[in-house]
């Protein structure tokens, strides 16, 4: 988590943002519209952003929650989805401990909801941060969430959760960063060469994805799984 805090403190000294912006020390971040170089712009979030309620819909099941900002390209959340919904977050400081209301029709006999998370490694260069989304990740165990009175609350994560990552060496990180840029040497490759592992600045680790698994049992006894994936960009 120290590495993530270091990113936040560096935001006051950055250049003009390249792409988008991200968040505060909770690790819940501003929408990441990454460019072809996998760059994430750095800018402090605006306080007191308005909240938007979204409807996440599968056949026979739906859930709602409110976020400070959300991306809804082409009315994505007005659709009824087959098995997976991907939510690209805007400024959303509270994914941990977020409350959702759920609704089923008469064909559903029982609902169970589970949550896990995934971390990714980032490298601080001059200005933007790169996140190695196509490289190694830590994936947490599924945690069952309690449903009461037609709603549930998502699990909350500690600093230790944010720092979970597979054991990797400096050389492995350097090679992964080079692969991101097609073997080119640049400021992020130079930064990666200074990392003493995934948690040694200018490298760091943070939560990049949170997934909800919804297990629906129909009155016929058939069970199906549905997934809601929250993409949580890293940076500020």
């Amino acid at each position: 988590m120290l590495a993530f805090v270091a990113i936040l403190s560096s935001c006051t000294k950055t250049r003009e943002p390249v792409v988008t912006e991200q968040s505060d020390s909770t690790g819940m971040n501003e929408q990441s519209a990454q460019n072809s170089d996998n760059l994430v712009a750095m800018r402090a979030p605006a306080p007191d952003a308005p909240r938007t309620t979204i409807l996440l819909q599968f056949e026979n099941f739906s859930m709602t929650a409110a976020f400070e900002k959300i991306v809804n390209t082409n009315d994505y959340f007005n659709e009824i989805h087959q098995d997976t919904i991907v939510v690209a977050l805007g400024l959303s400081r509270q994914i941990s401990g977020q409350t959702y209301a759920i609704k089923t029709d008469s064909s559903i006999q029982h609902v169970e909801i589970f949550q896990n998370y995934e971390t990714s490694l980032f490298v601080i260069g001059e200005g933007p941060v790169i996140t190695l989304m196509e490289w190694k990740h830590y994936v947490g165990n599924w945690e069952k969430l309690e449903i009461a009175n037609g709603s549930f609350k998502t699990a909350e994560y500690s600093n230790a959760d944010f720092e979970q990552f597979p054991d990797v060496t400096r050389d492995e990180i350097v090679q992964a960063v080079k692969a991101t840029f097609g073997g080119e040497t640049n400021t992020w490759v130079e930064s990666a060469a200074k990392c003493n592992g995934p948690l040694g600045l200018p490298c760091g680790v943070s939560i990049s994805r949170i997934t909800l698994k919804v297990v629906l049992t129909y009155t016929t006894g058939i069970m199906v799984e549905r997934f809601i994936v929250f993409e949580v960009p890293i940076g500020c």
Side-chain angles (χ1 to χ4, degrees):
M1 196 61 178
L2 294 177
F4 190 80
V5 172
I7 295 181
L8 298 176
S9 65
S10 72
C11 290
T12 59
K13 298 181 283 186
T14 59
R15 305 172 184 173
E16 283 296 312
V18 178
V19 194
T20 62
E21 57 242 29
Q22 300 189 53
S23 81
D24 62 11
S25 59
T26 64
M28 300 300 107
N29 310 340
E30 181 72 34
Q31 160 79 17
S32 168
Q34 296 181 339
N35 64 15
S36 59
D37 291 329
N38 199 28
L39 304 184
V40 180
M42 303 170 66
R43 184 193 298 167
D48 302 320
R51 298 177 70 82
T52 299
T53 299
I54 62 172
L55 177 64
L56 306 172
Q57 303 179 82
F58 298 108
E59 187 177 3
N60 313 117
F61 174 86
S62 65
M63 49 198 287
T64 57
F67 297 89
E68 293 178 41
K69 268 188 184 178
I70 206 73
V71 179
N72 188 16
T73 304
N74 298 325
D75 292 327
Y76 181 74
F77 298 117
N78 292 336
E79 300 176 20
I80 296 177
H81 298 267
Q82 294 297 313
D83 52 25
T84 302
I85 300 173
V86 178
V87 182
L89 293 176
L91 178 59
S92 190
R93 297 175 183 150
Q94 192 173 354
I95 299 300
S96 296
Q98 183 83 348
T99 299
Y100 292 79
I102 66 173
K103 184 178 180 180
T104 64
D105 67 18
S106 59
S107 67
I108 303 298
Q109 181 180 25
H110 185 62
V111 179
E112 291 182 299
I113 299 177
F114 302 82
Q115 177 177 334
N116 78 353
Y117 73 99
E118 181 176 304
T119 65
S120 300
L121 185 142
F122 61 82
V123 181
I124 302 171
E126 292 185 8
V129 176
I130 64 164
T131 305
L132 301 181
M133 293 299 295
E134 304 303 321
W135 195 45
K136 299 175 184 270
H137 305 279
Y138 170 84
V139 180
N141 295 326
W142 289 107
E143 178 179 351
K144 187 174 181 178
L145 305 179
E146 181 180 354
I147 300 173
N149 300 318
S151 66
F152 69 93
K153 189 175 182 180
T154 53
E156 300 189 49
Y157 295 119
S158 67
N159 289 358
D161 295 318
F162 276 83
E163 295 179 348
Q164 294 291 328
F165 201 75
D167 290 333
V168 293
T169 65
R170 175 189 293 136
D171 287 345
E172 288 177 306
I173 295 171
V174 170
Q175 291 306 312
V177 175
K178 283 185 176 180
T180 300
F181 292 97
E184 297 179 7
T185 298
N186 51 48
T187 178
W188 294 277
V189 174
E190 294 170 356
S191 292
K194 300 174 185 176
C195 298
N196 293 318
L199 298 178
L201 287 173
C203 289
V205 173
S206 191
I207 291 176
S208 59
R209 182 174 290 122
I210 295 173
T211 302
L212 300 178
K213 177 171 66 175
V214 181
V215 181
L216 302 174
T217 303
Y218 286 81
T219 54
T220 58
I222 295 174
M223 296 178 64
V224 298
E225 294 183 347
R226 302 289 182 254
F227 296 91
I228 299 170
V229 181
F230 294 94
E231 300 288 357
V232 185
I234 296 173
C236 55

